[in-house]
């Protein structure tokens, strides 16, 4: 059939590619490409980056609001500095999606947090542009100090710039590093990204100082002492700050009222963190100054996305959503889920009604630990110490010394940061402190920095600390109640994920240190608790002769039941969502040795290596602790395991 010219033109039009929604971003695959743009083009590039970040994050589970808020300052940093020679450090790293895109990883952004893909944070082994591997807060300044001192010791010449949020600045490690930075006076630029948020709202005196600073009369009205101070550095800089007061709040704070200046760190700001042209102008001048300089930028978490700006806590890491509207995707026919965090929050809210000595402390994880309801129901018995895990634990110790029964609600990987306080401040005097340890075991997409696979090992090594692994919310409640009624420190660990809801008022009697048989069998007996018990039951479901024990307490072990099963079984298998070094399996082997039993024990757990981001199920499979892996071991031990099951 012959086509008319009109039909041909119509066909060619239909086949033509749609115009790019990100024409500038399409031209930028490296910091060198970025520098080819004019300064006038940078705001447009920032908006294209925000649009692309929103699109990438709409699949769910990624860090949206923080990345949107930091986009402009990241564009400015890469425009001024020469990465990777100049070192750009991001505290936590979850706000660095624009950094990843500008350093050649845009095409891989769909793989963020997926197995074999990009990390959700900065990672040294991922890119030469990633100066540090992070995931935990408050580490950037000490790292930056180390790099600056190494640079000077080797006689090299490059810029060290650290981006730290005001939330991370609540961490004692950051403040201690600032103290040393002010003392040694190494040349570096610190970008204080002030969005009034970490994940929850920021708390503490430093946060209050930031907020109060911005409404002081001298700050609002003028140049005054601030202009005089900055003129010594640069008259154009002082003039800019004067002009900018009509559109954005700038000041250069005199040392008499500024704690950073009192520490010996030059302080400039606050400036508008979304005026990329102005940020470039300032950074170009500040990087040439001797000694350390803080540039305080005020940003909005969720910038450019109205629904994210309105609720930055939810949109910190949302589920799947429609980028255009913010409408959340719903799984058709799916029943509502109930997380372990929610189960803990509900239980402790009820428990506080029963016991006026109950007091909950968290290090900046109110939402993550399921404590929003508790904080509203019991505001006078709730404390958020900010990103200061050591402070949380020792504050609990002080409360316990005065008759309270504090509960520290904390993620497993964050408790690592307070190991000495658990040992020194709580355990030595056998104080009545309970640790509610969320995200225990493999957490999946957040990867090696967040996997909670060491707590069984480091907690069971501390005298007086008792450790439990509930299989469900029912046992969680029983353990919490028992811990609050029994002297001494207790640790209750539970995984990321969902469990079954328990009726209000349910408080089972659970004797600490007792196991339960959940499947009869004396040939091979599997000992497992918590998440691992689920796999053990699935593996043994159709295998007569294979027993399963809910080993819900790792310290103390149920020695009576262990002696019983160890004396009758041909082989024992221990399974745990923890490193194999020093964990539950090690405890069983130690006990069997002490008893003089000769039963063989196969220890299954997380191998002695860091586990990168992937689904929980995938990591468990490759670590050899899921149901199929257990069945493989059973077959190796001579159990008749049906094929294909």
């Amino acid at each position: 059939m012959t086509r008319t010219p009109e039909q041909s033109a119509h066909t060619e039009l239909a086949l033509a590619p749609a115009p790019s929604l990100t024409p500038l971003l399409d031209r930028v695959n490296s910091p060198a490409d970025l520098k080819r743009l004019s300064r006038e083009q940078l705001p447009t590039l920032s908006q294209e980056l925000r649009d692309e970040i929103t699109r990438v994050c709409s699949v769910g589970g990624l860090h949206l609001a923080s990345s949107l808020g930091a986009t402009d300052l990241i564009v400015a940093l890469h425009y001024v500095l020469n990465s990777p020679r100049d070192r750009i450090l991001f505290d936590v790293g979850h706000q660095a999606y624009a950094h990843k895109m500008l350093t050649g990883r845009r095409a891989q952004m769909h793989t963020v947090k997926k197995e074999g893909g990009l990390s959700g944070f900065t990672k040294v082994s991922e890119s030469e542009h990633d100066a540090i591997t992070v995931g935990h807060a408050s580490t950037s300044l000490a790292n930056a100090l180390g790099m600056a001192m190494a640079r000077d010791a080797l006689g090299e010449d490059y810029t060290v710039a650290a981006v730290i949020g005001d939330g991370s600045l609540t961490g004692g490690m950051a403040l201690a590093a600032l103290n040393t930075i002010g003392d040694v006076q190494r040349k570096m630029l610190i970008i204080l990204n002030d969005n009034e948020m970490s994940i929850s709202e920021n708390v503490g005196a430093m946060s209050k100082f930031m907020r109060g600073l911005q409404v002081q009369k001298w700050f609002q009205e003028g140049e005054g002492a601030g202009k005089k101070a900055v003129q010594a550095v640069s008259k154009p800089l002082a003039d800019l700050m004067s002009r900018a007061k009509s559109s954005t709040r700038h000041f250069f704070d005199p040392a008499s009222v500024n704690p950073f200046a009192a520490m010996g760190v030059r302080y400039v700001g606050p400036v508008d963190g979304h005026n990329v042209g102005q940020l470039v102008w300032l950074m170009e001048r500040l990087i040439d100054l001797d000694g350390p300089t803080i540039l305080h930028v005020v940003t909005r978490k969720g910038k450019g996305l109205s629904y994210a700006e309105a609720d930055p806590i939810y949109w910190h890491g949302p589920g799947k959503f429609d980028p255009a509207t913010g409408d959340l995707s719903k799984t058709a026919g799916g029943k509502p889920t109930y997380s372990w965090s929610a189960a803990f929050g509900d239980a402790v809210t009820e428990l506080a009604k029963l016991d006026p000595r109950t007091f909950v402390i968290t290090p900046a994880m109110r939402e993550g630990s399921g404590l929003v309801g508790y904080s509203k129901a019991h505001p006078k018995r709730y404390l958020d110490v900010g990103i200061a895990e050591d402070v949380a634990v020792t504050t609990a110790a002080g409360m316990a010394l005065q008759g309270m029964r504090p509960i520290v609600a904390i993620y497993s990987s964050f408790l690592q940061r307070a190991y000495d306080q658990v040992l020194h401040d709580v355990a030595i005097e056998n104080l009545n402190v309970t640790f509610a340890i969320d995200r225990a075991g493999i957490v999946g997409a957040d990867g090696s920095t967040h996997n909670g696979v060491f707590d069984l090992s480091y907690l069971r090594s501390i005298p007086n600390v008792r450790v439990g692994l509930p299989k469900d919310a029912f046992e969680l409640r029983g353990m919490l109640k028992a811990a609050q009624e029994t002297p001494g420190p207790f640790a209750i660990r539970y995984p990321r994920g969902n469990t079954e809801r328990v009726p209000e008022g349910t408080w089972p009697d659970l004797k600490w240190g007792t196991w339960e048989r959940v499947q009869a069998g004396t040939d091979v007996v599997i000992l497992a608790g918590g998440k691992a018990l689920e796999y053990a039951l699935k593996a043994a479901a159709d295998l007569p002769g294979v027993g399963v024990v809910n080993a819900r307490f790792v310290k103390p072990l149920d020695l009576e039941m262990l002696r019983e099963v160890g004396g009758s079984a041909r082989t024992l298998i221990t399974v745990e969502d923890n490193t194999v070094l020093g964990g539950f399996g090690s405890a069983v082997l130690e006990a069997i040795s002490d008893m003089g039993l000769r039963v063989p024990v196969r220890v299954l757990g997380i191998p002695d290596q860091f586990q990168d981001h992937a689904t929980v199920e995938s990591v468990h499979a490759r670590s050899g602790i899921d149901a199929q892996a257990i069945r493989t071991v059973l077959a190796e031990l001579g159990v008749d395991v049906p094929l294909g099951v």
Side-chain angles (χ1 to χ4, degrees):
M1 181 175 106
T2 303
R3 294 183 297 172
T4 66
E6 292 79 6
Q7 288 173 323
S8 297
H10 179 74
T11 301
E12 291 172 4
L13 182 64
L15 295 176
S20 172
L21 298 177
T22 55
L24 284 181
L25 184 56
D26 292 344
R27 294 158 51 186
V28 178
N29 293 305
S30 69
D33 293 336
L34 171 63
K35 294 177 188 298
R36 296 188 182 99
L37 300 183
S38 68
R39 298 188 184 205
E40 292 72 25
Q41 291 174 306
L42 298 184
T44 301
L45 176 67
S46 290
Q47 186 55 52
E48 290 183 11
L49 278 164
R50 277 190 285 268
D51 291 342
E52 183 72 350
I53 289 169
T54 302
R55 185 190 66 79
V56 168
C57 291
S58 66
V59 301
L62 303 181
H63 291 113
L64 175 64
S66 53
S67 288
L68 294 176
T71 296
D72 295 297
L73 66 89
I74 288 172
V75 169
L77 276 167
H78 277 293
Y79 196 76
V80 172
L81 301 182
N82 293 299
S83 179
R85 176 172 175 76
D86 292 331
R87 308 309 284 153
I88 303 173
L89 296 75
F90 293 92
D91 209 277
V92 183
H94 64 305
Q95 77 281 56
Y97 287 9
H99 162 77
K100 288 178 182 279
M101 292 185 186
L102 293 174
T103 53
R105 287 169 277 181
R106 181 188 175 194
Q108 299 168 273
M109 290 301 292
H110 67 284
T111 72
V112 171
K113 291 192 173 186
K114 293 182 173 62
E115 187 167 4
L118 299 179
S119 169
F121 312 96
T122 60
K123 192 175 180 69
V124 170
S125 57
E126 182 178 294
S127 171
E128 63 179 348
H129 296 280
D130 290 359
I132 55 175
T133 295
V134 281
H136 291 188
S138 309
T139 65
S140 62
L141 299 189
N143 269 301
L145 173 61
M147 290 181 180
M149 297 192 75
R151 173 199 63 202
D152 296 349
L154 295 172
E156 297 178 342
D157 182 20
Y158 54 86
T159 297
V160 176
V163 179
I164 183 169
D166 52 328
S168 291
L169 203 60
T170 66
M173 184 177 179
L175 295 175
L178 265 181
N179 185 53
T180 304
I181 287 168
D183 180 46
V184 301
Q185 288 292 303
R186 304 294 171 153
K187 183 179 179 180
M188 67 174 71
L189 178 62
I190 299 168
I191 309 296
L192 174 54
N193 178 23
D194 179 4
N195 59 24
E196 306 182 33
M197 303 286 294
S198 46
I199 295 176
S200 303
E201 293 95 339
N202 287 329
V203 297
M206 184 60 72
S207 176
K208 290 177 182 177
F209 170 79
M210 296 292 183
R211 305 286 74 74
L213 195 63
Q214 297 175 21
V215 297
Q216 291 187 52
K217 188 171 186 285
W218 61 266
F219 167 69
Q220 294 287 347
E221 291 182 350
E223 296 116 83
K227 182 175 180 180
K228 290 178 182 178
V230 80
Q231 278 176 335
V233 178
S234 166
K235 187 176 185 302
L237 180 59
D239 292 341
L240 171 67
M241 290 180 180
S242 298
R243 296 193 307 270
K245 66 180 182 179
S246 62
S247 60
T248 182
R249 298 179 295 181
H250 287 74
F251 79 100
F252 186 64
D253 193 14
S256 60
V257 296
N258 188 284
F260 303 112
M263 285 182 175
V265 181
R266 184 185 297 107
Y267 179 87
V268 177
V271 301
D272 182 358
H274 299 300
N275 187 330
V276 65
Q278 194 174 88
L279 290 173
V280 167
W281 195 96
L282 282 166
M283 289 178 187
E284 286 177 334
R285 286 150 181 81
L286 295 178
I287 61 173
D288 290 331
L289 301 181
D290 290 332
T293 300
I294 284 181
L295 175 60
H296 180 180
V297 304
V298 178
T299 62
R300 179 176 290 276
K301 199 170 182 181
K303 170 67 177 176
L305 212 57
S306 59
Y307 47 85
E309 290 187 21
D311 189 0
I313 294 177
Y314 176 80
W315 292 96
H316 173 80
K320 189 174 182 180
F321 65 95
D322 182 334
T325 64
D327 290 341
L328 302 176
S329 299
K330 296 180 175 60
T331 303
K335 65 178 181 179
T337 58
Y338 186 62
S339 70
W340 277 96
S341 303
F344 164 72
D346 289 346
V348 77
T349 301
E350 289 184 46
L351 191 61
K353 296 177 183 177
L354 304 176
D355 187 349
R357 301 172 301 165
T358 298
F359 197 112
V360 176
I361 305 171
T362 185
M365 295 308 299
R366 181 185 65 178
E367 280 74 22
S369 293
L371 291 172
V372 173
Y374 178 92
S375 67
K376 294 177 180 178
H378 306 287
K380 294 183 178 180
R381 285 186 282 154
Y382 169 77
L383 176 64
D384 183 343
V385 299
I387 303 173
E389 294 84 358
D390 49 354
V391 173
V393 173
T394 301
T395 300
M399 289 184 179
L401 285 166
Q402 297 306 116
M404 296 296 285
R405 299 299 301 244
I407 298 173
V408 178
I410 191 167
Y411 288 9
S412 172
S413 62
F414 297 165
L415 185 58
Q416 295 162 186
R417 312 183 83 181
Y419 177 82
D420 180 63
Q421 287 70 32
V422 175
L423 189 155
H424 181 274
D425 299 330
V426 174
I428 287 178
E429 291 300 329
N430 200 33
L431 299 182
N432 302 330
V433 177
T434 296
F435 298 95
I437 305 173
D438 203 338
R439 269 65 164 184
I442 295 295
V443 298
D446 285 333
S448 57
T449 58
H450 285 63
N451 286 327
V453 295
F454 305 104
D455 56 85
L456 288 184
S457 302
Y458 66 72
L459 288 174
R460 64 172 290 265
S461 69
I462 302 176
N464 293 330
V465 176
R466 283 153 283 186
V467 185
L469 298 76
K471 68 180 180 184
D472 53 26
F474 185 83
E475 285 192 344
L476 172 63
R477 283 173 165 258
M479 290 184 187
L480 275 171
K481 189 169 185 292
Q484 291 299 91
E485 294 174 348
T486 309
F490 292 83
I492 305 169
R493 75 182 311 254
Y494 43 93
R496 184 177 194 170
N498 299 317
T499 184
E500 294 294 324
R501 188 182 296 271
V502 174
E504 185 175 345
T506 301
W507 297 106
D509 289 326
L510 198 60
K511 184 179 178 182
W512 203 275
T514 59
W515 295 352
E516 67 168 345
R517 289 180 180 268
V518 290
Q519 180 168 311
T522 57
D523 179 25
V524 176
V525 177
I526 306 171
L527 310 177
K531 176 69 175 178
L533 179 64
E534 175 186 327
Y535 291 136
L537 287 169
K538 186 176 180 181
D542 59 341
L543 304 177
V546 175
V548 179
V549 171
N550 176 16
R552 57 196 174 195
F553 296 103
V554 170
K555 188 178 181 183
L557 301 175
D558 187 336
L559 296 179
E560 182 178 343
M561 185 172 291
L562 180 58
R563 186 184 300 276
E564 180 182 334
V565 298
S568 59
R570 177 169 59 88
T571 303
L572 299 180
I573 299 174
T574 66
V575 190
E576 60 192 298
D577 192 8
N578 186 82
T579 177
V580 292
L581 303 184
F584 170 57
S586 296
V588 169
L589 287 169
E590 292 160 11
I592 284 177
S593 175
D594 289 343
M595 293 176 185
L597 298 177
R598 297 183 179 276
V599 59
V601 180
R602 290 286 296 270
V603 176
L604 306 183
I606 306 301
D608 181 27
Q609 60 192 52
F610 290 108
Q611 301 297 317
D612 284 335
H613 49 281
T615 65
V616 172
E617 294 75 17
S618 177
V619 178
H620 284 165
R622 73 189 186 206
S623 298
I625 68 168
D626 69 348
Q628 187 56 53
I630 296 171
R631 289 176 74 86
T632 298
V633 171
L634 288 169
E636 292 172 357
L637 293 172
V639 175
D640 184 13
V641 178
L643 297 176
V645 178

